[in-house]
Amino acid sequence: MKQIISVITLILLLGSSCKEQERNSLEEEKIGFTKEGELSIFKKDSLLVNLDIEFAETDYEVQTGLMYRDSMEEKQGMLFIFPDVRVHSFYMKNTAIPLDIIFIDENLQIASFQENAKPFDETGLSSLVPIKYVLEINAGLSEKWNLELGDQIKYQK
């Protein structure tokens, strides 16, 4: 009888161990960066920086953004393109990377910032003014690159 119980216990442990390993491997699957275009930031006519970017255009892409990622390289970002020009608000739910959120108007000029957005914070971060685009980059880069209101972007797919 003891042997039967030991065998059953072993089978249960192995079964749950396999399920645990399967669940952990699924949880570890990360979303990687996929270059979909390039973006340049200018101060007057002087180039400040070139970035590789992903685009967020569909409802799903806009809602997901950079969620579920744990890093991004310095010269990478995500550009959100909205069909309308209005005040937009972002939050950091499920976003592990601290970000600078750069709000850009329909003339491709920086209109406002939310610097150093905190990971996983669900507080709304408003553009404060009507905008059409949002560029998300690693936190601290706006200051490092000395970005200012009125700086211009250009992008291509």
Side-chain angles (χ1 to χ4, degrees), residues 33-65:
F33 182 85
T34 303
K35 179 180 176 179
E36 297 175 330
E38 297 174 353
L39 182 140
S40 301
I41 305 175
F42 296 88
K43 185 174 295 298
K44 298 189 181 172
D45 291 329
S46 181
L47 175 67
L48 289 174
V49 66
N50 286 317
L51 303 172
D52 292 334
I53 56 171
E54 284 187 71
F55 290 94
E57 297 177 279
T58 68
D59 286 342
Y60 175 77
E61 291 168 339
V62 168
Q63 290 169 11
T64 307

Side-chain angles (χ1 to χ4, degrees), residues 8-142:
I8 292 172
T9 303
L10 182 61
I11 291 170
L12 290 173
L13 286 173
L14 287 174
S16 67
S17 176
C18 290
K19 286 181 185 177
E20 185 69 28
Q21 284 177 338
E22 183 179 319
R23 188 170 76 238
N24 285 341
S25 69
L26 288 174
E27 289 171 2
E28 290 173 12
E29 194 172 316
K30 300 292 180 191
I31 300 171
F33 182 85
T34 303
K35 179 180 176 179
E36 297 175 330
E38 297 174 353
L39 182 140
S40 301
I41 305 175
F42 296 88
K43 185 174 295 298
K44 298 189 181 172
D45 291 329
S46 181
L47 175 67
L48 289 174
V49 66
N50 286 317
L51 303 172
D52 292 334
I53 56 171
E54 284 187 71
F55 290 94
E57 297 177 279
T58 68
D59 286 342
Y60 175 77
E61 291 168 339
V62 168
Q63 290 169 11
T64 307
L66 292 171
M67 290 180 177
Y68 312 112
R69 301 180 193 212
D70 54 8
S71 67
M72 184 168 57
E73 292 183 22
E74 181 171 311
K75 294 209 174 168
Q76 293 178 334
M78 180 170 279
L79 183 66
F80 294 75
I81 303 173
F82 296 102
D84 56 351
V85 177
R86 66 175 176 83
V87 174
H88 288 273
S89 187
F90 277 58
Y91 62 90
M92 297 289 290
K93 179 179 180 180
N94 298 319
T95 305
I97 308 167
L99 298 173
D100 286 350
I101 302 172
I102 304 167
F103 298 100
I104 302 163
D105 68 20
E106 70 275 14
N107 298 314
L108 300 174
Q109 292 185 328
I110 296 176
S112 66
F113 296 89
Q114 290 285 342
E115 294 179 279
N116 297 307
K118 307 235 179 311
F120 305 109
D121 188 348
E122 294 188 36
T123 304
L125 303 169
S126 172
S127 64
L128 304 175
V129 296
I131 52 103
K132 182 165 178 70
Y133 307 92
V134 170
L135 176 62
E136 291 184 338
I137 56 176
N138 286 316
L141 292 178
S142 294

